[in-house]
C-alpha cells in the first residue's frame, strides 16, 4: 500500500540475500529485540554513542526516542534514513544513510550494526552494497563516506574490501576516553566499477521528491 503522506515508508532496497526496509514502529520493536540479545562483546564499544551500555528498559526507551526523533527531523536540508535489515522475513540489524545539504554536496554517510548472532555470514558487505546502490544510483550521490574506531576489524574489512579510500584519522571520546576513529570515502567513479545489477530499488522516485533531491 502506498503511503501518501510519508513516502519513505515505501522505500526498500532488495538484493538476492536481504532487504533494507525503512524503519517503522513494528520493525523498530523487532530491531530492539535483536539488540537486546546482543550486538557486540561488552568489553568493546564499536559505536560513537554507547547506547548498548544502557540497561533494560532504558536502552529500548532511548532507542525508541532516537528513531522517532530521527524520523521526525527528516528535511531536505538534513536527513538520517534508518533501515531494518531483513533476511527471510526476520530483522537482523540496522543500516542508515545520513546527509546534510545533499542537493549541493552530493555525499552521504553510512552506519550500521548487526545482531551478534548474525555476524560473520557476509551480511555486512551485502547491505553496505545495498546502501551504496541507494545513495549512488537512487539519489545520484558523488561520494559515500564511512568511519569506524581504529580497531573495528569487521567494519574496516567491509570498507576496504569494497575499495573505499582512506581519508584520515580523528580523535573522539569512546566511553569517555580519547580514542582514534578512521575515515574513508568512495567516489562515484569507483562505485561504477563495483556496481551490481541485481539490486532493486523500490519507492525511490517519491523518496527523492520528498527529500528535495
Amino acid at each position: 500500500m502506498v503511503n501518501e503522506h510519508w513516502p519513505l515508508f515505501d522505500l526498500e532496497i532488495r538484493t538476492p540475500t536481504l532487504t533494507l526496509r525503512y524503519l517503522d514502529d513494528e520493525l523498530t520493536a523487532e530491531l530492539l529485540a535483536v539488540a537486546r540479545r546482543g550486538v557486540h562483546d561488552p568489553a568493546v564499544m564499536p559505536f560513537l554513542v554507547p547506547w548498548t551500555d544502557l540497561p533494560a528498559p532504558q536502552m529500548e526507551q532511548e532507542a525508541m526516542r532516537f528513531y522517532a526523533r530521527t524520523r521526525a527531523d527528516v528535511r531536505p536540508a538534513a536527513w538520517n534514513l534508518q533501515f531494518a535489515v531483513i533476511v527471510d522475513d526476520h530483522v537482523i540489524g540496522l543500516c542508515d544513510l545520513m546527509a546534510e545539504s545533499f542537493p549541493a554536496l552530493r555525499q552521504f554517510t553510512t552506519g550500521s550494526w548487526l545482531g551478534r548472532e548474525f555476524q560473520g555470514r557476509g551480511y555486512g558487505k551485502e547491505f553496505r552494497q545495498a546502501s551504496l546502490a541507494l545513495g549512488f544510483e537512487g539519489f545520484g550521490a558523488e561520494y559515500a563516506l564511512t568511519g569506524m574506531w581504529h580497531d573495528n576489524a569487521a567494519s574496516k574489512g567491509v570498507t576496504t574490501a569494497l575499495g573505499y579510500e582512506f581519508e584520515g584519522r580523528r580523535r573522539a571520546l569512546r566511553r569517555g576516553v580519547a580514542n582514534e576513529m578512521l575515515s574513508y570515502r568512495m567516489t562515484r567513479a569507483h562505485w561504477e566499477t563495483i556496481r551490481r545489477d541485481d539490486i532493486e530499488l523500490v519507492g525511490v522516485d517519491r523518496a527523492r521528491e520528498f527529500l528535495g533531491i
Side-chain angles (χ1 to χ4, degrees):
M1 181 178 178
V2 174
N3 192 294
E4 180 181 358
H5 303 296
W6 202 261
L8 297 179
F9 283 130
D10 300 320
L11 188 55
E12 290 188 3
I13 308 93
R14 301 169 183 166
T15 84
T17 304
L18 53 79
T19 297
L20 302 185
R21 186 173 299 151
Y22 185 75
L23 202 62
D24 60 18
D25 291 342
E26 183 177 347
L27 291 171
T28 298
E30 295 181 49
L31 186 69
L32 293 179
V34 174
R36 178 49 61 195
R37 295 197 297 271
V39 178
H40 58 85
D41 181 345
V44 179
M45 175 47 64
F47 306 120
L48 190 60
V49 177
W51 60 275
T52 49
D53 282 349
L54 296 173
Q58 187 181 359
M59 184 196 80
E60 289 82 354
Q61 292 167 351
E62 288 301 315
M64 290 291 287
R65 291 188 180 99
F66 170 75
Y67 293 133
R69 184 169 60 250
T70 298
R71 185 192 307 165
D73 285 345
V74 168
R75 298 286 191 281
W79 40 261
N80 184 343
L81 308 183
Q82 306 275 330
F83 295 90
V85 182
I86 301 170
V87 174
D88 297 329
D89 295 322
H90 297 288
V91 175
I92 67 169
L94 176 130
C95 178
D96 59 10
L97 277 74
M98 299 156 278
E100 294 184 5
S101 303
F102 184 86
L105 297 177
R106 292 286 168 172
Q107 65 183 20
F108 65 98
T109 301
T110 59
S112 64
W113 60 263
L114 274 176
R116 204 170 179 185
E117 63 204 281
F118 305 109
Q119 296 172 13
R121 305 187 196 179
Y123 293 135
K125 185 177 181 181
E126 183 76 2
F127 69 66
R128 180 79 69 86
Q129 289 174 297
S131 67
L132 291 172
L134 177 61
F136 284 116
E137 179 182 346
F139 292 163
E142 293 296 329
Y143 301 98
L145 312 177
T146 195
M148 74 289 295
W149 293 114
H150 68 94
D151 56 358
N152 189 334
S155 181
K156 191 190 301 182
V158 168
T159 299
T160 55
L162 290 173
Y164 284 75
E165 300 172 355
F166 178 66
E167 286 249 285
R169 308 168 187 269
R170 68 182 178 92
R171 299 271 279 174
L173 292 179
R174 188 181 195 182
R175 283 176 168 161
V177 178
N179 212 303
E180 186 175 71
M181 293 204 79
L182 309 179
S183 300
Y184 290 82
R185 185 178 78 160
M186 180 184 292
T187 65
R188 183 180 187 87
H190 173 73
W191 173 75
E192 291 286 358
T193 70
I194 63 169
R195 182 176 188 161
R196 289 170 46 176
D197 60 6
D198 61 349
I199 297 177
E200 180 185 5
L201 306 180
V202 178
V204 171
D205 290 343
R206 295 183 68 236
R208 285 174 61 97
E209 182 180 359
F210 186 74
L211 297 173
I213 300 173

